[in-house]
Amino acid sequence: EAGVAQSPRYKIIEKRQSVAFWCNPISGHATLYWYQQILGQGPKLLIQFQNNGVVDDSQLPKDRFSAERLKGVDSTLKIQPAKLEDSAVYLCASSLQAEVSYEQYFGPGTRLTVT
Amino acid sequence: GESVGLHLPTLSVQEGDNSIINCAYSNSASDYFIWYKQESGKGPQFIIDIRSNMDKRQGQRVTVLLNKTVKHLSLQIAATQPGDSAVYFCAENKWNTGFQKLVFGTGTRLLVSP
């Protein structure tokens, strides 16, 4: 079974530039999550999708971050404009169904460096 | 607020020893817990999970213990190997408008010496 795919793996940008990350979840997984993991900390949920609808985006900085999951499969996370404090690893995860307690499978992440 | 935390940021053990990683949680309503292993440059990898109606669950070389009385979770790794070196996170399930939401702790780094 293929895992969660993410690209790019690394990205270096200057502050005030924009960047986009892509995620392809495990086939058949209805729920998709984007996490931000700052160095030395645990992952923090940014946004959660159930199919193509947003379930939770309470911790997403909506003035600069946006995400979409068209057709309920792939997802993109965008930052515009980036700030220095956005430097982190951005993890995508998926689970079979979020209405029950199911394991979340994580992708390798995208390491973002903002200079 | 509600949180999941770990007692020790770094744990150093010798190869072959047993390792115990601890985690405290504050939400007594949490019904599902997961331990993840994260190696450098990789995403978190599922190790083992436990539901709140259980006290203990065993996997291959790993055991998770749940003490709901004191809201404590532990991960035991038997015969620790160098390949077990990683950061370990416990995560607690919080229900949000009918959907699962995991809250992760800070993590414990396990260092295994040969």
Side-chain angles (χ1 to χ4, degrees), chain A residues 16-62:
Chain A
R16 290 188 289 275
Q17 287 186 324
S18 62
V19 64
F21 312 125
W22 173 82
C23 173
N24 180 239
I26 293 173
S27 178
H29 281 196
T31 311
L32 185 147
Y33 311 81
W34 282 103
Y35 289 86
Q36 180 191 59
Q37 185 175 26
I38 293 173
L39 185 65
Q41 299 182 15
K44 183 187 83 171
L45 181 68
L46 292 175
I47 189 167
Q48 177 179 346
F49 292 92
Q50 179 72 7
N51 296 309
N52 60 349
V54 175
V55 171
D56 183 355
D57 63 358
S58 58
Q59 298 192 84
L60 187 74
K62 299 180 188 61

Side-chain angles (χ1 to χ4, degrees), chain A residues 9 33 35 37 40-43 45 48 50 55-56 58-59 91 95 98-109 111, chain B residues 31-32 34 36 38 40-47 49 51 89 93 95-107:
Chain A
R9 291 297 314 277
Y33 311 81
Y35 289 86
Q37 185 175 26
Q41 299 182 15
L45 181 68
Q48 177 179 346
Q50 179 72 7
V55 171
D56 183 355
S58 58
Q59 298 192 84
L91 295 163
S95 65
E99 291 94 335
V100 295
S101 299
Y102 276 116
E103 173 192 348
Q104 293 184 21
Y105 296 83
F106 283 81
R111 181 176 297 277
Chain B
D31 65 347
Y32 180 60
I34 306 179
Y36 281 93
Q38 188 172 27
S40 181
K42 297 183 179 180
Q45 177 187 6
F46 173 89
I47 300 173
D49 59 1
R51 298 191 182 277
F89 295 96
N93 180 43
W95 290 103
N96 179 37
T97 61
F99 293 94
Q100 175 196 59
K101 177 177 180 177
L102 291 182
V103 176
F104 284 80
T106 304

